């Protein structure tokens, strides 16, 4: 079984990485989970606190689009962490691909072991 995986890579404004991660951990990721989105991994790069990733998984491309349309138009996002997150991002890139559930689970497990 394969799923759609979206990898967002952020270059953050200098010195904002630790605060960005706090906002992601305390506010944004919980909102993602509340909205039913599968957050596979998120966090700063091992080489640079101001480089960041967010990996999400979806059933299909249609599911990805519908989930994001709903999430990013929500009051929780707009009146919540949106401004704080966007103001810290210098460059954002997105890659969408298919991965097996096993590969997704391996990324999820790897992320948890790094965070521990």
């Amino acid at each position: 079984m394969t799923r759609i995986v979206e990898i967002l890579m952020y270059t953050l404004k200098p010195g904002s990485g630790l605060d960005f991660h706090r906002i992601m951990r305390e506010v944004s990721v919980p909102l993602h989970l509340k909205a039913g989105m599968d957050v596979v991994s998120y966090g700063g790069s091992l080489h640079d606190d101001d480089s960041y990733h967010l990996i999400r998984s979806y059933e299909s491309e249609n599911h990805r689009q519908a989930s994001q349309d709903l999430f990013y138009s929500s009051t929780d996002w707009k009146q919540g962490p949106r401004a704080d997150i966007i103001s810290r991002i210098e460059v954002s890139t997105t890659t969408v691909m298919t991965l097996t559930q096993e590969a997704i689970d391996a990324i999820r497990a790897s992320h948890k072991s790094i965070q521990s």
Side-chain angles (χ1 to χ4, degrees):
M1 178 176 111
T2 61
R3 291 179 58 90
I4 298 295
V5 173
E6 175 188 59
I7 302 171
L8 294 100
M9 301 296 299
Y10 304 117
T11 300
L12 303 173
K13 292 182 179 169
S16 67
L18 296 177
D19 197 38
F20 187 89
H21 182 64
R22 179 191 58 76
I23 295 164
M24 289 294 292
R25 183 184 68 242
E26 294 176 6
V27 185
S28 184
V29 169
L31 283 179
H32 279 75
L33 299 175
K34 178 182 170 187
M37 296 174 103
D38 180 20
V39 176
V40 176
S41 178
Y42 66 97
S45 174
L46 297 177
H47 85 290
D48 179 6
D49 286 338
D50 295 327
S51 294
Y52 204 87
H53 76 276
L54 171 62
I55 303 173
R56 302 182 287 201
S57 147
Y58 302 91
E59 295 169 11
S60 65
E61 179 58 20
N62 287 340
H63 179 233
R64 182 179 84 85
Q65 287 295 328
S67 295
Q68 289 185 15
D69 289 348
L70 188 62
F71 180 78
Y72 290 117
S73 67
S74 74
T75 301
D76 284 346
W77 168 251
K78 289 179 178 179
Q79 294 180 1
R82 181 184 185 277
D84 287 337
I85 286 176
I86 291 174
S87 70
R88 288 169 173 81
I89 297 172
E90 200 166 84
V91 177
S92 175
T93 59
T94 303
T95 298
V96 179
M97 65 181 74
T98 59
L99 288 177
T100 65
Q101 186 63 53
E102 293 79 16
I104 294 166
D105 291 342
I107 293 168
R108 190 185 321 273
S110 174
H111 171 74
K112 287 182 181 175
S113 69
I114 290 170
Q115 295 296 318
S116 300

